[in-house]
Amino acid sequence: GIAVSSNALLLASQVATAIGATTPFDLTNVVSIAGGNGSSLALRRDGTVAVWGNLASLTNVPAGVGGVVSAALGNQHVLALKTNGSVFAWGTGYPAVVPPSALEQVIQIAATPNHSLALKRDGTILIWGMFNPFLTNVPPNLTNVVSLAGGLNHGLALLADGTVRAWGNNTDGQTNVPPGLTNAVAIAAGDNHCAALRANGSLAIWGYNSLAQ
């Protein structure tokens, strides 16, 4: 998730109001947020999740969903990582909404429009959802991963040494990690572009750029 301050959340709420969006009236104590295709998500400090937007299949959070430490949002599904390392999902984005059986010891999750990604404690990466060999064929020598992100048809991994690996569809250069990219501390992916935050606060962005992203 993306940690945000109360000031940042207030600003996001003001922007949402300005463009006609609405947020739940009880949206307080938020520790991370995510946005998707017409939907928004907030994870509260108590481990509960709020989703609002134009898809009832997402906004109707299943009863009893709690103990969540991280949440991710796809086009039509929500992914939640619980304190016990298990993963729970809901929505209509089948099969991205159905985690593999006996999925446990997960330490990080990510969602693409049509896929779900999970990083296990032993370094194993699992990807499920719409059949897409560009994304689901994880490089066999990918080790020491500490964080994952995914775009429409590509994956991104942050390694413990601060380097970044990418795989999948490369029609827009989204897997061409800039040479010399080191000291990365966070990663993110759009549909066809990628971003990495360095320890010194600078950004590296590559991939699709028709809108100057």
Side-chain angles (χ1 to χ4, degrees):
I2 304 171
V4 292
S5 68
S6 58
N7 287 339
L9 183 62
L10 176 60
L11 176 60
S13 177
Q14 291 171 338
V15 171
T17 300
I19 62 175
T22 57
T23 56
F25 69 92
D26 61 345
L27 193 55
T28 57
N29 297 311
V30 172
V31 294
S32 70
I33 56 176
N37 183 24
S39 300
S40 301
L41 175 151
L43 173 63
R44 300 186 184 93
R45 193 176 305 280
D46 64 2
T48 59
V49 177
V51 184
W52 64 100
N54 58 13
L55 290 176
S57 60
L58 302 185
T59 58
N60 293 332
V61 180
V65 174
V68 176
V69 296
S70 179
L73 188 61
N75 274 0
Q76 298 183 60
H77 73 289
V78 177
L79 204 60
L81 173 61
K82 308 192 77 173
T83 54
N84 62 3
S86 64
V87 175
F88 184 79
W90 68 94
T92 58
Y94 184 86
V97 76
V98 182
S101 59
L103 180 60
E104 57 187 14
Q105 296 188 355
V106 174
I107 60 173
Q108 196 248 333
I109 56 173
T112 80
N114 302 303
H115 297 82
S116 299
L117 299 82
L119 174 64
K120 298 184 66 173
R121 191 173 303 281
D122 64 3
T124 303
I125 297 172
L126 298 176
I127 303 175
W128 65 98
M130 182 182 297
F131 177 72
N132 183 343
F134 283 119
L135 177 59
T136 56
N137 288 341
V138 180
N141 59 343
L142 191 56
T143 59
N144 299 315
V145 177
V146 297
S147 182
L148 292 173
L152 186 62
N153 295 305
H154 72 285
L156 202 61
L158 173 63
L159 307 189
D161 63 1
T163 60
V164 176
R165 292 281 302 277
W167 69 96
N169 185 24
N170 193 39
T171 54
D172 295 297
Q174 58 267 53
T175 65
N176 293 339
V177 179
L181 177 57
T182 59
N183 297 316
V185 295
I187 54 174
D191 279 356
N192 297 298
H193 68 283
C194 304
L197 173 67
R198 299 184 183 93
N200 64 5
S202 63
L203 285 172
I205 303 176
W206 64 98
Y208 190 67
N209 192 37
S210 69
L211 300 175
Q213 59 265 51

